[in-house]
Amino acid sequence: MKIAIVADKKSGHLSQCIGLRSILKKQDQNKDIFFLNQDIISFPGFLERSLVIFGEKIYLFLLKLLNPSLVELKFDLVICSGSRTAIPAYLLAKSSKAKIIYIGTPKFRIMKKFDGIVSTKRDLSDVFKVIPTILPPTKFSPYEQNEVSSSNSLVLIGGDGSGYDYGEKDWYRLAYEFKSIETTFINSRRTPKYAWENLKDNKGPKHRFLDLETTTFEIMQDAIDSHGNIFVTADSTSMIVEIITRGYFVNVIELRGPIKREHHHEIIENFERKGLLRVLRLTELNRSKPKLDTGVRSFVMEERASLKKQIMELI
């Protein structure tokens, strides 16, 4: 089975597509990935919205004129995530006579024609062929062997978003609480520059830092595998899910808030009920758990097998 991915600029969307492809078929992560406005020409967001008002068929027709070479490509399945990838991905699938799967919440009428919608939301309209999953796929897969006995800590930090709004005091407190602990910090694209610099300025003697922009997937995975305890700030849904899909227990830190509830919080609470993570305040770090938990890995393996079975039955 030959599988293609249509991707936008959001790494979280691409990670889910790569993860789903690896569940269905082992394939090089960098092969057959079509990026918008790089491999497939698309319209700017404001123009896309205007064209869709007049009908998706018109938008599809114009995309076909802009991308004549797509008819020469042949795939069995196209996977996409992110609303802007939906219609270009449908064009690629239609040109290739391939099946198409979308990961996330559908926004366009054309998605009714998709062969499947992988979603954590179970209340989507019946017009969509929904493939429900508790655990969204990511580019990480469950570890095969792990004998880490170290008590060092890995802390992945996010930033404002997903119902959270942090202040400067929150970042000072984070640096303070981990000051005497052997810790590696990894930032994200949403981490404020001042917060990242503050952590470095107030670092402890056993602290090290990995900047996401210069950290390869292999280095990231090695950091996850080589640390005994893993902490992620509560706003970082994608990083929390990535750690769990690697088969590890996660300690989720709520620096402050949340100031409002979102679907993100329902996912986190569901994970906590299933024993995949624990939500902690900074004053509760003594309640954290080591990452190795056979129950987490078993859960991930079962979810991946179930997801693959549901998709193969649809396509």
Side-chain angles (χ1 to χ4, degrees):
M1 181 165 59
K2 194 174 182 184
I3 303 175
I5 289 171
V6 176
D8 57 18
K9 294 181 179 180
K10 293 187 178 181
S11 59
H13 292 159
L14 178 58
S15 176
Q16 291 187 83
C17 293
I18 290 174
L20 183 58
R21 184 171 67 179
S22 69
I23 289 173
L24 300 173
K25 176 179 179 281
K26 294 297 180 184
Q27 189 169 327
D28 187 317
Q29 286 196 6
N30 298 316
K31 187 177 181 182
D32 296 326
I33 297 178
F34 296 83
F35 287 95
L36 296 185
N37 300 316
Q38 180 177 322
D39 306 296
I40 296 179
I41 299 173
S42 63
F43 294 99
F46 72 93
L47 188 54
E48 178 188 70
R49 288 188 290 274
S50 301
L51 290 170
V52 169
I53 290 174
F54 293 103
E56 282 118 352
K57 287 185 178 179
I58 295 175
Y59 183 30
L60 196 66
F61 174 73
L62 293 174
L63 278 182
K64 191 173 182 178
L65 293 179
L66 290 173
N67 299 277
S69 61
L70 292 185
V71 297
E72 302 170 4
L73 303 171
K74 298 298 176 186
F75 296 99
D76 302 301
L77 176 66
V78 175
I79 300 172
C80 62
S81 181
S83 59
R84 295 211 58 209
T85 68
I87 298 180
Y90 182 71
L91 173 63
L92 177 59
K94 192 173 181 180
S95 300
S96 300
K97 296 181 180 179
K99 303 288 186 179
I100 180 168
I101 297 286
Y102 181 82
I103 306 174
T105 303
K107 295 181 180 178
F108 293 137
R109 292 188 300 273
I110 202 170
M111 295 184 187
K112 293 188 292 184
K113 300 178 181 179
F114 283 22
D115 297 283
I117 305 290
V118 175
S119 178
T120 58
K121 294 185 177 181
R122 296 175 178 270
D123 58 349
L124 297 178
S125 171
D126 292 338
V127 301
F128 303 111
K129 301 182 184 72
V130 180
I131 305 169
T133 181
I134 297 172
L135 187 67
T138 78
K139 59 186 175 182
F140 291 94
S141 56
Y143 68 86
E144 295 181 4
Q145 290 184 334
N146 198 308
E147 300 176 356
V148 172
S149 59
S150 174
S151 61
N152 59 359
S153 296
L154 179 69
V155 180
L156 298 98
I157 62 174
D160 295 345
S162 297
Y164 292 92
D165 184 14
Y166 303 133
E168 191 169 353
K169 289 183 180 179
D170 298 309
W171 300 112
Y172 275 108
R173 185 65 185 275
L174 180 68
Y176 173 79
E177 292 295 339
F178 282 91
K179 195 149 187 120
S180 60
I181 302 173
E182 185 178 351
T183 306
T184 299
F185 292 94
I186 299 180
N187 62 355
S188 75
R189 289 171 179 80
R190 288 186 296 106
T191 305
K193 185 176 180 181
Y194 80 85
W196 189 234
E197 294 304 319
N198 173 67
L199 283 172
K200 292 180 179 179
D201 292 341
N202 294 275
K203 66 180 180 181
K206 297 180 179 179
H207 285 179
R208 60 191 292 257
F209 300 85
L210 293 176
D211 195 310
L212 189 65
E213 289 188 0
T214 56
T215 301
T216 64
F217 171 75
E218 290 74 21
I219 293 175
M220 171 74 86
Q221 183 167 278
D222 180 67
I224 292 170
D225 289 342
S226 61
H227 289 74
N229 304 284
I230 300 180
F231 298 84
V232 182
T233 55
D235 59 275
S236 302
T237 318
S238 59
M239 290 194 286
I240 291 169
V241 173
E242 286 175 348
I243 301 301
I244 292 175
T245 54
R246 188 62 179 153
Y248 298 133
F249 184 89
V250 186
N251 297 290
V252 177
I253 303 174
E254 280 201 331
L255 299 178
R256 174 198 300 207
I259 57 175
K260 64 177 180 177
R261 284 184 58 82
E262 298 183 359
H263 177 56
H264 155 84
H265 298 105
E266 296 174 14
I267 296 174
I268 299 305
E269 288 169 3
N270 193 15
F271 285 163
E272 187 167 30
R273 284 193 296 269
K274 293 183 178 301
L276 306 176
L277 58 79
R278 176 175 288 174
V279 179
L280 305 168
R281 295 287 185 176
L282 277 173
T283 55
E284 302 175 314
L285 294 184
N286 60 306
R287 295 181 55 238
S288 64
K289 284 181 56 178
K291 71 176 185 185
L292 290 182
D293 185 319
T294 55
V296 177
R297 187 177 185 279
S298 297
F299 172 82
V300 174
M301 297 296 287
E302 290 171 6
E303 282 297 306
R304 288 166 66 88
S306 173
L307 187 56
K308 181 176 182 178
K309 182 175 182 293
Q310 291 181 80
I311 290 175
M312 296 309 292
E313 286 174 351
L314 270 179
I315 66 174

